Amino acid sequence: MSWQEVAVNHRRALHRIPELGFCESRTSDYLFSALTEMGLEPKRLTETGMIADITGERPGKCVVLRSDIDALPLAEQTGLSFASQHPLAMHACGHDGHMAMLLTCAARLVQDRSFAGTVRLLLQPSEEQPPGGAAPMIEQGCLDGVDEIYGLHVWPQYPVGTVGIRAGVMMAFSDKFRITVHGRGGHGSEPAGTQDAVVIASQIVANLQTVVSRRISAFEPAVLTCGTIHSGVNFNIIAEDAEITGTVRTLSGSVQNIIENAMRDIVEHTAKSYGAQALLEYERSYPAVVNNAEAVKRWVSAIDDAVTVVENLPAMAGEDFSYYLQQRPGAFLFLGCKPYGDEWYPLHSPHFSVNEDALSIGAELLYRVALNALSSPPIPTP
């Protein structure tokens, strides 16, 4: 069986059994069994997260390869013959592919242990749902004795055979917020004397659109998105309360501070102008993914002439791989997985599916970057 066939088999089996963060019991059992069958001794660090060490024939560095294992709360609409067996869970972010590539890479490393050092496989739960699974895995010792760490993510914007990477900020700070508005309800036919939460919330959403456009330099990337707004109970009742939720994405801490402070001003004063009250709860979630320049070189040197490398612009998506990079030098890479033809779907779409031709490429890159890192001088810890 070719390595491509190995990867496809793993991916399809895992795609059928998607599970949400910290509930990945069947997925975790599958991974534990697959690693055990290779002759490895996986160790659970959390209920569903685990590590497994592959030791070479001589002592040396310890390098981590990480894969996330959780899925998203989506009803799959791909029509695949191996579609999700769970009606409200789907691997819509490619984590099935990440696990398949890591298992395939592991099989190759187990087959040839002529390297010096240790490759640690890190299979992490709950990347999709902050506060995420990286921090608990770190607390349980997944980075103990580790010199460097590497990871990748499928990227449907790039065709198969293309990878994106850059030194420095690779992915954004990922924050979330909740705004609660409290006004004064009443009869829909008699708005005078009320403080209409629907109107106030709508005005807050409109005013928040000026934060990025008027408070942030045009040379500083930033995103402020209001994702939900909920208010009211009936067509003829003026709502007393409203709730808005959303996300903020930035590439620097200074811009993050400006946006949070501007939001507080707008929320408070917009509500006050209507005689109402509003509260902003702002949660700083995943920090930015910052690639180490020397670790990026390890990735680039792992890529042969058959793969095109582009210097990726920072992505405004977030990733809790960032927590590992705060502890150890390493780098994160985007792996092209765009389907052939003109039609493609983004990550987190119920129609998204990994182009399986990318799997063997990703497994090969993981294999090579691990060997490159093991044979290279240590990178100073940040």
Side-chain angles (χ1 to χ4, degrees), residues 166-168 290-297 325 328-332 379-380 382:
R166 72 191 313 272
V290 183
N291 281 344
N292 179 281
E294 288 301 314
V296 169
K297 292 178 183 177
L325 295 180
R328 299 290 188 275
F332 201 63
I379 300 172

Side-chain angles (χ1 to χ4, degrees), residues 235-290:
F235 78 98
N236 63 351
I237 299 174
I238 290 176
E240 186 163 294
D241 300 301
E243 180 185 84
I244 305 161
T245 66
T247 185
V248 173
R249 307 299 172 99
T250 56
L251 298 182
S252 75
S254 61
V255 172
Q256 186 184 39
N257 291 336
I258 291 170
I259 290 179
E260 181 180 352
N261 291 333
M263 289 180 68
R264 292 194 183 282
D265 288 342
I266 287 172
V267 168
E268 178 185 350
H269 290 102
T270 301
K272 189 175 181 180
S273 70
Y274 288 89
Q277 295 179 324
L279 173 68
L280 169 67
E281 298 171 74
Y282 192 99
E283 179 181 335
R284 299 199 176 197
S285 187
Y286 298 159
V289 173
V290 183

Side-chain angles (χ1 to χ4, degrees), residues 140-157:
Q140 293 302 315
C142 73
L143 296 182
D144 290 355
V146 169
D147 295 286
E148 298 167 32
I149 183 166
Y150 297 87
L152 57 74
H153 202 295
V154 293
W155 209 243
Q157 291 91 322

Side-chain angles (χ1 to χ4, degrees), residues 77-307:
Q77 299 179 41
T78 62
L80 294 170
S81 61
F82 50 91
S84 170
Q85 297 173 352
H86 302 162
L88 293 178
M90 175 193 174
H91 274 300
C93 202
H95 298 185
D96 52 336
H98 301 167
M99 292 182 280
M101 288 184 278
L102 190 60
L103 290 175
T104 306
C105 169
R108 287 195 63 183
L109 290 166
V110 167
Q111 192 176 84
D112 179 11
R113 301 194 188 214
S114 60
F115 54 89
T118 300
V119 177
R120 176 168 295 171
L121 312 174
L122 194 169
L123 293 141
Q124 177 213 305
S126 195
E127 183 276 327
E128 296 289 358
Q129 184 60 44
M137 292 291 282
I138 293 170
E139 291 170 4
Q140 293 302 315
C142 73
L143 296 182
D144 290 355
V146 169
D147 295 286
E148 298 167 32
I149 183 166
Y150 297 87
L152 57 74
H153 202 295
V154 293
W155 209 243
Q157 291 91 322
Y158 292 154
V160 171
T162 298
V163 299
I165 195 168
R166 72 191 313 272
V169 178
M170 180 78 173
M171 300 181 75
F173 290 92
S174 173
D175 301 339
K176 62 181 180 179
F177 63 84
R178 183 166 74 103
I179 299 165
T180 51
V181 177
H182 183 67
R184 185 180 184 202
H187 198 289
S189 67
E190 298 179 340
T194 69
Q195 297 157 357
D196 190 338
V198 169
V199 171
I200 299 166
S202 300
Q203 194 62 55
I204 288 173
V205 171
N207 290 345
L208 287 176
Q209 304 313 301
T210 66
V211 173
V212 172
S213 67
R214 292 296 177 268
R215 307 268 189 122
I216 305 300
S217 166
F219 300 100
E220 292 277 8
V223 174
L224 193 165
T225 295
C226 294
T228 71
I229 180 168
H230 299 288
S231 186
V233 294
N234 204 48
F235 78 98
N236 63 351
I237 299 174
I238 290 176
E240 186 163 294
D241 300 301
E243 180 185 84
I244 305 161
T245 66
T247 185
V248 173
R249 307 299 172 99
T250 56
L251 298 182
S252 75
S254 61
V255 172
Q256 186 184 39
N257 291 336
I258 291 170
I259 290 179
E260 181 180 352
N261 291 333
M263 289 180 68
R264 292 194 183 282
D265 288 342
I266 287 172
V267 168
E268 178 185 350
H269 290 102
T270 301
K272 189 175 181 180
S273 70
Y274 288 89
Q277 295 179 324
L279 173 68
L280 169 67
E281 298 171 74
Y282 192 99
E283 179 181 335
R284 299 199 176 197
S285 187
Y286 298 159
V289 173
V290 183
N291 281 344
N292 179 281
E294 288 301 314
V296 169
K297 292 178 183 177
R298 308 270 205 264
W299 264 124
V300 173
S301 62
I303 299 166
D304 61 27
D305 293 338
V307 177

